Amino acid sequence: MLIIQRVSLLSWLFCIGILTCIPNSHAVDTFKMNPPESENDHRYQYTYDLLTLIIEATNNDFGVASIQISDDTMSRNRNFRELLEGNNINVMAEASNAQWDEQLIPIKIPIRKGIQGFRVFIIKDKNVSIMAKVNTLSQLVALEAGSGSQWSSKAAMQSAGFKVIESIHYDNLFNMLSMGRFVTFGRGINEAFKEIELFKSRYPDLVVDNHILLHIPLATYYYVAPDQPRLASRIQEGLKRIIANGKFDELFYQRHCDFLLKSNMNHRTVFKINNPLVSEAEMTSIVGKDFLINPSSDFSTLCEKYH
């Protein structure tokens, strides 16, 4: 059995399936996770739900567990400091980062199959024609791009020559784009379409470009506080089990097929840039290359299997 402790910010987080909520005091392991950055930020829900499956798969040998979501919204750098201490949060799903790799316990299984590395661009509707004329990487690089200040994709884009306009605040980037501070706002295909829907009442001029796909090797790993090796072992073992029994792919495709189909990757102009922070060999060291998303896959057939 699993506990998910409800908090005001995440009132929509609920016990699913056969799970029974029990008092937190009975839990053997407590997974303390970061909250979303705002009420519009749904990026972490998949990571909470995946951890639910991990715990279910390891109940027999590790015992019952609880997931707690912190009340404190924090920047990525503060999340790192909190993880080092292991009090407020002790587990977080985050993009691969050398500092995090060295000072925390990384579980190097890319839990989003690299999907966030396939970047489409949110743009102003008046700039659709500009993007339609982009046929080379140098033309794309010449357009000012927006990014979170602490995002790993920012380093890759800067290394490739992009001029990146930054903000530390997630919501503010959409306002900056609408105000014309930059032309392109690269988002993973698992993010862009949902964000357009979430922000359309505030920024009806924003759309997803349907021409370009930028591939940046990106991995999201679970990172665990250095004083919690048991939690790290449980996560890695649980991930291996649900990958082997098919439950990982079931959850992944149920949550991502809409975006995979909408992105129409096979009909886009694709540019790939290197990521100085991520090694593709490292991404596949535990799970193999076939685990990652292949943009040439027939997602229509694949997604029918999981719906």
PDB file of all heavy atoms in Angstrom, residues 21 30 47 56 65 98 157 162 186 200 209 223 226 238 251 258 274 307:
ATOM      1  N   CYS A  21      -5.069   5.025   1.291  1.00  0.00           N
ATOM      2  CA  CYS A  21      -4.342   6.026   2.071  1.00  0.00           C
ATOM      3  C   CYS A  21      -4.346   5.628   3.542  1.00  0.00           C
ATOM      4  O   CYS A  21      -5.395   5.333   4.108  1.00  0.00           O
ATOM      5  CB  CYS A  21      -4.991   7.402   1.912  1.00  0.00           C
ATOM      6  SG  CYS A  21      -4.755   8.077   0.266  1.00  0.00           S
ATOM      7  N   THR A  30       9.859   7.386   3.363  1.00  0.00           N
ATOM      8  CA  THR A  30       9.148   8.617   3.053  1.00  0.00           C
ATOM      9  C   THR A  30       9.880   9.343   1.934  1.00  0.00           C
ATOM     10  O   THR A  30      11.035   9.751   2.098  1.00  0.00           O
ATOM     11  CB  THR A  30       9.049   9.540   4.284  1.00  0.00           C
ATOM     12  OG1 THR A  30       8.389   8.838   5.347  1.00  0.00           O
ATOM     13  CG2 THR A  30       8.249  10.791   3.939  1.00  0.00           C
ATOM     14  N   THR A  47       6.118  12.488 -12.823  1.00  0.00           N
ATOM     15  CA  THR A  47       7.176  11.945 -11.964  1.00  0.00           C
ATOM     16  C   THR A  47       6.622  11.464 -10.624  1.00  0.00           C
ATOM     17  O   THR A  47       7.142  10.504 -10.051  1.00  0.00           O
ATOM     18  CB  THR A  47       8.297  12.971 -11.734  1.00  0.00           C
ATOM     19  OG1 THR A  47       7.833  14.053 -10.922  1.00  0.00           O
ATOM     20  CG2 THR A  47       8.792  13.527 -13.061  1.00  0.00           C
ATOM     21  N   GLU A  56       4.864   0.683  -5.589  1.00  0.00           N
ATOM     22  CA  GLU A  56       4.036  -0.519  -5.680  1.00  0.00           C
ATOM     23  C   GLU A  56       4.869  -1.747  -6.025  1.00  0.00           C
ATOM     24  O   GLU A  56       4.665  -2.838  -5.473  1.00  0.00           O
ATOM     25  CB  GLU A  56       2.968  -0.336  -6.763  1.00  0.00           C
ATOM     26  CG  GLU A  56       1.812   0.557  -6.393  1.00  0.00           C
ATOM     27  CD  GLU A  56       0.802   0.601  -7.526  1.00  0.00           C
ATOM     28  OE1 GLU A  56       1.184   0.885  -8.687  1.00  0.00           O
ATOM     29  OE2 GLU A  56      -0.372   0.354  -7.258  1.00  0.00           O
ATOM     30  N   ALA A  65       5.283   2.789   1.886  1.00  0.00           N
ATOM     31  CA  ALA A  65       5.991   4.066   1.763  1.00  0.00           C
ATOM     32  C   ALA A  65       4.997   5.184   1.601  1.00  0.00           C
ATOM     33  O   ALA A  65       3.819   4.966   1.315  1.00  0.00           O
ATOM     34  CB  ALA A  65       6.948   4.027   0.569  1.00  0.00           C
ATOM     35  N   ALA A  98      25.891  17.928 -14.059  1.00  0.00           N
ATOM     36  CA  ALA A  98      27.138  17.388 -13.503  1.00  0.00           C
ATOM     37  C   ALA A  98      27.234  17.607 -11.998  1.00  0.00           C
ATOM     38  O   ALA A  98      27.663  16.717 -11.253  1.00  0.00           O
ATOM     39  CB  ALA A  98      28.341  18.012 -14.212  1.00  0.00           C
ATOM     40  N   MET A 157      21.944  25.272 -25.840  1.00  0.00           N
ATOM     41  CA  MET A 157      21.615  26.276 -26.843  1.00  0.00           C
ATOM     42  C   MET A 157      22.701  27.351 -26.915  1.00  0.00           C
ATOM     43  O   MET A 157      23.107  27.780 -27.997  1.00  0.00           O
ATOM     44  CB  MET A 157      20.249  26.885 -26.551  1.00  0.00           C
ATOM     45  CG  MET A 157      19.112  25.880 -26.672  1.00  0.00           C
ATOM     46  SD  MET A 157      17.470  26.585 -26.367  1.00  0.00           S
ATOM     47  CE  MET A 157      17.221  27.524 -27.883  1.00  0.00           C
ATOM     48  N   PHE A 162      23.143  30.074 -29.834  1.00  0.00           N
ATOM     49  CA  PHE A 162      21.908  30.824 -29.638  1.00  0.00           C
ATOM     50  C   PHE A 162      22.131  31.994 -28.676  1.00  0.00           C
ATOM     51  O   PHE A 162      22.878  31.868 -27.702  1.00  0.00           O
ATOM     52  CB  PHE A 162      20.821  29.929 -29.032  1.00  0.00           C
ATOM     53  CG  PHE A 162      20.172  28.968 -29.985  1.00  0.00           C
ATOM     54  CD1 PHE A 162      20.737  27.728 -30.232  1.00  0.00           C
ATOM     55  CD2 PHE A 162      18.982  29.295 -30.620  1.00  0.00           C
ATOM     56  CE1 PHE A 162      20.140  26.818 -31.095  1.00  0.00           C
ATOM     57  CE2 PHE A 162      18.373  28.402 -31.486  1.00  0.00           C
ATOM     58  CZ  PHE A 162      18.954  27.154 -31.729  1.00  0.00           C
ATOM     59  N   GLY A 186      11.764  27.288 -26.870  1.00  0.00           N
ATOM     60  CA  GLY A 186      11.839  25.848 -27.073  1.00  0.00           C
ATOM     61  C   GLY A 186      11.298  25.071 -25.891  1.00  0.00           C
ATOM     62  O   GLY A 186      11.704  25.291 -24.759  1.00  0.00           O
ATOM     63  N   LYS A 200      -3.532  29.974 -22.801  1.00  0.00           N
ATOM     64  CA  LYS A 200      -4.181  30.612 -23.945  1.00  0.00           C
ATOM     65  C   LYS A 200      -5.104  31.760 -23.548  1.00  0.00           C
ATOM     66  O   LYS A 200      -5.261  32.716 -24.314  1.00  0.00           O
ATOM     67  CB  LYS A 200      -4.947  29.588 -24.772  1.00  0.00           C
ATOM     68  CG  LYS A 200      -6.149  28.955 -24.082  1.00  0.00           C
ATOM     69  CD  LYS A 200      -6.819  27.960 -25.011  1.00  0.00           C
ATOM     70  CE  LYS A 200      -8.031  27.305 -24.353  1.00  0.00           C
ATOM     71  NZ  LYS A 200      -8.672  26.320 -25.270  1.00  0.00           N
ATOM     72  N   ASP A 209       4.862  26.329 -33.190  1.00  0.00           N
ATOM     73  CA  ASP A 209       5.360  26.237 -34.560  1.00  0.00           C
ATOM     74  C   ASP A 209       5.260  24.787 -35.042  1.00  0.00           C
ATOM     75  O   ASP A 209       5.519  23.851 -34.289  1.00  0.00           O
ATOM     76  CB  ASP A 209       6.823  26.689 -34.607  1.00  0.00           C
ATOM     77  CG  ASP A 209       7.529  26.254 -35.875  1.00  0.00           C
ATOM     78  OD1 ASP A 209       7.153  26.762 -36.948  1.00  0.00           O
ATOM     79  OD2 ASP A 209       8.417  25.377 -35.785  1.00  0.00           O
ATOM     80  N   TYR A 223      16.886  12.168  -8.697  1.00  0.00           N
ATOM     81  CA  TYR A 223      18.041  12.456  -7.843  1.00  0.00           C
ATOM     82  C   TYR A 223      17.617  12.302  -6.389  1.00  0.00           C
ATOM     83  O   TYR A 223      16.534  12.750  -5.987  1.00  0.00           O
ATOM     84  CB  TYR A 223      18.555  13.870  -8.091  1.00  0.00           C
ATOM     85  CG  TYR A 223      19.325  14.016  -9.381  1.00  0.00           C
ATOM     86  CD1 TYR A 223      18.690  14.412 -10.558  1.00  0.00           C
ATOM     87  CD2 TYR A 223      20.691  13.749  -9.438  1.00  0.00           C
ATOM     88  CE1 TYR A 223      19.393  14.533 -11.752  1.00  0.00           C
ATOM     89  CE2 TYR A 223      21.407  13.873 -10.622  1.00  0.00           C
ATOM     90  CZ  TYR A 223      20.746  14.266 -11.777  1.00  0.00           C
ATOM     91  OH  TYR A 223      21.444  14.381 -12.954  1.00  0.00           O
ATOM     92  N   PRO A 226      21.970  12.607  -0.593  1.00  0.00           N
ATOM     93  CA  PRO A 226      23.135  11.723  -0.367  1.00  0.00           C
ATOM     94  C   PRO A 226      23.029  10.856   0.880  1.00  0.00           C
ATOM     95  O   PRO A 226      23.716   9.837   0.966  1.00  0.00           O
ATOM     96  CB  PRO A 226      24.311  12.705  -0.280  1.00  0.00           C
ATOM     97  CG  PRO A 226      23.712  14.041  -0.004  1.00  0.00           C
ATOM     98  CD  PRO A 226      22.355  14.035  -0.634  1.00  0.00           C
ATOM     99  N   GLY A 238      12.911  -0.518  -8.465  1.00  0.00           N
ATOM    100  CA  GLY A 238      11.520  -0.394  -8.908  1.00  0.00           C
ATOM    101  C   GLY A 238      11.410  -0.027 -10.377  1.00  0.00           C
ATOM    102  O   GLY A 238      10.565  -0.562 -11.104  1.00  0.00           O
ATOM    103  N   LEU A 251       2.388   3.578 -18.634  1.00  0.00           N
ATOM    104  CA  LEU A 251       2.184   4.911 -18.082  1.00  0.00           C
ATOM    105  C   LEU A 251       2.757   5.972 -19.013  1.00  0.00           C
ATOM    106  O   LEU A 251       2.109   6.996 -19.283  1.00  0.00           O
ATOM    107  CB  LEU A 251       2.846   5.024 -16.706  1.00  0.00           C
ATOM    108  CG  LEU A 251       2.766   6.416 -16.052  1.00  0.00           C
ATOM    109  CD1 LEU A 251       1.322   6.780 -15.721  1.00  0.00           C
ATOM    110  CD2 LEU A 251       3.641   6.499 -14.803  1.00  0.00           C
ATOM    111  N   ASP A 258      -0.661  11.709 -26.808  1.00  0.00           N
ATOM    112  CA  ASP A 258      -1.318  12.877 -27.415  1.00  0.00           C
ATOM    113  C   ASP A 258      -0.282  13.849 -27.964  1.00  0.00           C
ATOM    114  O   ASP A 258      -0.440  14.397 -29.067  1.00  0.00           O
ATOM    115  CB  ASP A 258      -2.206  13.588 -26.395  1.00  0.00           C
ATOM    116  CG  ASP A 258      -3.502  12.834 -26.133  1.00  0.00           C
ATOM    117  OD1 ASP A 258      -3.796  11.892 -26.896  1.00  0.00           O
ATOM    118  OD2 ASP A 258      -4.202  13.173 -25.165  1.00  0.00           O
ATOM    119  N   ASN A 274      24.600  19.442 -29.844  1.00  0.00           N
ATOM    120  CA  ASN A 274      25.187  18.714 -28.724  1.00  0.00           C
ATOM    121  C   ASN A 274      24.764  19.336 -27.400  1.00  0.00           C
ATOM    122  O   ASN A 274      24.429  20.523 -27.329  1.00  0.00           O
ATOM    123  CB  ASN A 274      26.707  18.701 -28.830  1.00  0.00           C
ATOM    124  CG  ASN A 274      27.205  17.905 -30.015  1.00  0.00           C
ATOM    125  OD1 ASN A 274      26.612  16.891 -30.387  1.00  0.00           O
ATOM    126  ND2 ASN A 274      28.292  18.359 -30.626  1.00  0.00           N
ATOM    127  N   HIS A 307      -3.830   2.535 -25.584  1.00  0.00           N
ATOM    128  CA  HIS A 307      -5.067   3.274 -25.342  1.00  0.00           C
ATOM    129  C   HIS A 307      -6.267   2.333 -25.364  1.00  0.00           C
ATOM    130  O   HIS A 307      -6.220   1.276 -25.951  1.00  0.00           O
ATOM    131  CB  HIS A 307      -5.257   4.371 -26.403  1.00  0.00           C
ATOM    132  CG  HIS A 307      -4.538   5.642 -26.052  1.00  0.00           C
ATOM    133  ND1 HIS A 307      -3.167   5.723 -26.052  1.00  0.00           N
ATOM    134  CD2 HIS A 307      -4.992   6.867 -25.665  1.00  0.00           C
ATOM    135  CE1 HIS A 307      -2.791   6.962 -25.715  1.00  0.00           C
ATOM    136  NE2 HIS A 307      -3.872   7.661 -25.458  1.00  0.00           N
TER     137      HIS A 307
END
